[in-house]
Amino acid sequence: VKVAPSLPLELLGPLGCGIQTGAGSILCALDVQPGTSVAVFGAGAVGLAAVMAAAVAGATTIVAVDLQPHRLDLARELGATHVIDGHAADVTDQIVALSGGGVQYAFDTTGIPNVMVGAVRATRMTGKVGFVGVQQGTLPLESMDYIGKTILNILEGSADPQEFIPRMIGLWQDGRFPFDRLIEQFPLERIDEAEQSSLAGGVIKPVLRP
């Protein structure tokens, strides 16, 4: 994808995968509409991109779920109207209550089966559920969990990078999609530190520079 030479390439790299996946899933695959409700499970780079995109789409209830308090704090700053500690035993019930009977869109980035089931159960009938994480086991759904709902396994947000990456850049330039807040840069010799922090839930999107 060609971009203007004046743009900072060290920031744009993550747009090609994780951030496109999160934002594209909301704006393209799920086609979130203004005035609706969205729940995002996992507030890493993909999930936070989804939160920002849900705000761009005009969703009025945006719920972020994660285990890390600092990620939930950032989710609030980036557009989440509610955040929920993923350790809670009643995450699904909280989402149903916050959304008046279940969200219209749920988006799971974790690939953890019990979280994915919770995402489906937190969605109202006629709603849509999107999965993008690498599934880590069998998904134990009952028929009543998904009746009347659309479940999508999404690749790269179902977005055309040639069109969607310039769109994200434009939203960022307009101050509506501050994806740069997810990025922390590391010199290449600190690659192990970057990886360990990412796996531990610290840094959200490490970018290595020579």
Side-chain angles (χ1 to χ4, degrees):
V1 177
K2 293 182 179 180
V3 299
S6 59
L7 291 171
L9 286 178
E10 67 275 12
L11 294 182
L12 302 188
L15 293 178
C17 185
I19 293 175
Q20 174 178 275
T21 295
S25 294
I26 294 296
L27 297 173
C28 300
L30 294 174
D31 190 24
V32 170
Q33 295 298 301
T36 56
S37 52
V38 181
V40 176
F41 294 79
V46 177
L48 289 171
V51 166
M52 291 187 287
V56 168
T60 49
T61 300
I62 304 171
V63 185
V65 182
D66 200 85
L67 303 176
Q68 302 288 344
H70 72 281
R71 294 189 175 202
L72 294 176
D73 290 341
L74 183 55
R76 276 195 184 278
E77 295 174 21
L78 295 176
T81 58
H82 304 82
V83 297
I84 298 175
D85 184 344
H87 293 101
D90 62 343
V91 170
T92 298
D93 291 340
Q94 288 190 57
I95 293 172
V96 170
L98 287 169
S99 58
V103 290
Q104 285 145 306
Y105 307 91
F107 180 58
D108 176 72
T109 70
T110 71
I112 299 170
N114 66 319
V115 179
M116 298 168 72
V117 171
V120 175
R121 291 176 178 169
T123 305
R124 67 184 62 188
M125 286 189 183
T126 73
K128 294 181 181 179
V129 185
F131 296 146
V132 295
V134 177
Q135 191 169 314
Q136 299 177 34
T138 301
L139 195 61
L141 285 171
E142 303 291 338
S143 60
M144 289 304 294
D145 290 335
Y146 56 81
I147 188 168
K149 304 173 185 179
T150 300
I151 299 176
L152 303 172
N153 285 296
I154 303 168
L155 177 64
E156 288 287 344
S158 297
D160 176 357
Q162 297 292 337
E163 181 276 332
F164 197 69
I165 287 177
R167 181 180 176 186
M168 288 188 289
I169 292 171
L171 288 168
W172 171 63
Q173 291 174 316
D174 291 341
R176 301 177 61 200
F177 189 70
F179 72 91
D180 53 307
R181 295 194 58 193
L182 311 183
I183 294 172
E184 182 175 343
Q185 298 186 37
F186 293 81
L188 187 57
E189 61 267 22
R190 292 173 59 198
I191 184 172
D192 290 343
E193 177 187 343
E195 181 183 28
Q196 290 164 9
S197 179
S198 181
L199 291 174
V203 62
I204 294 169
K205 176 54 69 174
V207 169
L208 299 171
R209 298 188 65 179

